Amino acid sequence: MTRSGQEYLEALRDGREVWLDGERVKDVTAHPAFRATAASFAGLFDLAHDAAHRETLLSGGVHRAYAVPRSYEDLVARRRAYKVWAEASYGFLGRTPDYMASGAAGFAAAPEVFDRGDFAGGEHALAFHRRLAEGGLYGAFTITDPACEGVRVVEERDGGIVVRGAKTIGTGAVFADEILVGTIEPLPAEAVDRAVTFSVAVDTPGLKLISRTSYEGNARSVFDAPLSSRYDENDALLVCEDVFVPWERVLTYRDVAATGAIWWETPAYLHFTHQSSTRFWTKLEFLAGLAILLARSNGTDQVPQVVQAIGRLLGAVAQAKAFVLGAEASWEPVTGGRGGVRPGQELSFAQRIMAGEIYPRVVADIKLLAGGAIVQTPASSRDLLHPELGPLIQRYVRTPGDPAEDRLKLLKLAWDALGSEFAGRHEQYERFYQGAPHVYLTMQTWAGAADACESLARTCLDGYDLGTTK
């Protein structure tokens, strides 16, 4: 059985070096900038112990995301497990533990990709997958180099390597058990010192996580910030100051081709997309529901233009759902079937293009439906409870269908989802969380669809020449 939420929280109290606002955070499970989100992650682990969800979430005693899918039915079962966890945070926790779990299962499906050149990392990749699965561990990753100095190998020892430098963007890393450090973007041939992939425990000596602003920490209450107060997964800069990594935790080493291939020649990236596209579909369901609630509260839900706008939002939800179901239905075998199956590549890559483009439009459309009310809410729930202000708010903020408390609750939820700094981060996240667009757009071009499109157009050209008449 996977570990409980309490066991997960206890594991976070390991002395990890997390920094926020010039302060070293002693315990992320107790600090006001992290504790509520840590509890939200713990709640995901507890769902596996709930009889209502156990069968959906678990396979062989571990979360289904850790299992290598062997059939279309396995992909469907995985998606149903993803959906349970996504709905627990309304899609706003993007890097839940099933994300890296799915990628690790992708590594395990094709470990031979790690055995290239002079370094054989296949067994290490299998061990990484096994360690996460058997321990029910939360794995995060940092796979993007900063503009200046990325992580590189500075020393080789008998027992392992020493690395130095930094990686961005460590989404969820503060809450993880292990962090996979690598590079998803193409590296130049001469960058062998940076062509390394490894996994380290978050409490490894010399490893620092420098947190961005905590939206949870800035939230006044759940009433005032219902999303950011509980679902701020955080993003952190990972810094390695001469971190020692044992050989058994090194997956690729000084090999530019292998360091990139592990994402694209195994099903890891496609498994990531399967999880994230399920979460994205869930998030759009929530946002469309929010739009409906706003229209009803505003008394505009029967206005033809509003009805049409909501119809477009529901169409976006259906589009997001279609990409998930379509990728599953167009499944492909991995390594001739020896590595099980993966979601269809073309639709998986296309989903990334769609999601990055459609999310800002969805947010903008709902802002139009919300109107100006979301920028004119009382500062906090304290105003509503104040003996002098409360009656005034009760009188002037209500609508015919909603008392003031319900109206404010809805408007504050809408602002947190659409207009707050937390909301702005999510809009940027949906564009870049699986790498810069130039990376996955390039892979889409190489995926084979371009050949089919070119071939069809060429059949027309080949069907006539200069002398062809009607």
Side-chain angles (χ1 to χ4, degrees), residues 196-427:
V196 60
T197 310
F198 58 88
S199 182
V200 289
V202 181
D203 64 343
T204 299
L207 189 149
K208 289 180 170 62
L209 292 171
I210 304 174
S211 170
R212 59 143 165 86
T213 296
S214 169
Y215 309 132
E216 175 186 331
N218 292 337
R220 296 191 177 190
S221 69
V222 174
F223 184 91
D224 294 304
L227 299 174
S228 56
S229 64
R230 297 178 291 170
Y231 309 121
D232 180 19
E233 61 191 342
N234 204 275
D235 309 284
L237 174 71
L238 177 141
V239 178
C240 294
E241 294 187 312
D242 292 345
V243 170
F244 176 73
V245 184
W247 283 119
E248 60 268 21
R249 285 179 169 266
V250 180
L251 278 61
T252 68
Y253 183 61
R254 296 179 63 84
D255 189 318
V256 169
T259 298
I262 64 172
W263 306 107
W264 309 109
E265 295 182 26
T266 75
Y269 187 89
L270 298 178
H271 286 338
F272 284 151
T273 303
H274 191 204
Q275 187 272 356
S276 62
S277 60
T278 302
R279 178 198 57 79
F280 184 78
W281 162 26
T282 305
K283 195 174 187 179
L284 291 195
E285 285 182 322
F286 166 81
L287 290 174
L290 180 60
I292 293 169
L293 293 176
L294 285 167
R296 287 178 179 168
S297 180
N298 291 340
T300 59
D301 55 310
Q302 299 302 314
V303 176
Q305 294 90 334
V306 173
V307 173
Q308 293 170 15
I310 291 174
R312 285 194 297 271
L313 291 171
L314 294 174
V317 174
Q319 187 177 355
K321 177 181 178 179
F323 271 100
V324 177
L325 303 188
E328 293 168 359
S330 59
W331 62 270
E332 301 159 338
V334 178
T335 61
R338 297 190 305 278
V341 301
R342 67 185 191 184
Q345 183 169 254
E346 289 182 24
L347 288 178
S348 296
F349 286 173
Q351 190 277 341
R352 288 301 311 120
I353 300 169
M354 177 277 297
E357 294 176 349
I358 202 173
Y359 191 81
R361 295 204 301 268
V362 165
V363 169
D365 286 347
I366 302 175
K367 284 181 177 179
L368 288 175
L369 293 176
I374 58 174
V375 300
Q376 182 56 67
T377 59
S380 79
S381 55
R382 294 177 183 177
D383 293 326
L384 193 60
L385 298 172
H386 191 276
E388 181 178 349
L389 298 180
L392 297 177
I393 294 171
Q394 292 284 0
R395 180 178 180 181
Y396 293 113
V397 179
R398 63 185 174 84
T399 65
D402 291 322
E405 182 176 337
D406 291 347
R407 173 72 170 166
L408 285 176
K409 190 175 182 181
L410 175 61
L411 294 177
K412 284 184 173 288
L413 174 60
W415 179 254
D416 212 18
L418 305 172
S420 66
E421 189 174 357
F422 172 83
R425 179 264 179 192
H426 271 269
E427 183 171 328

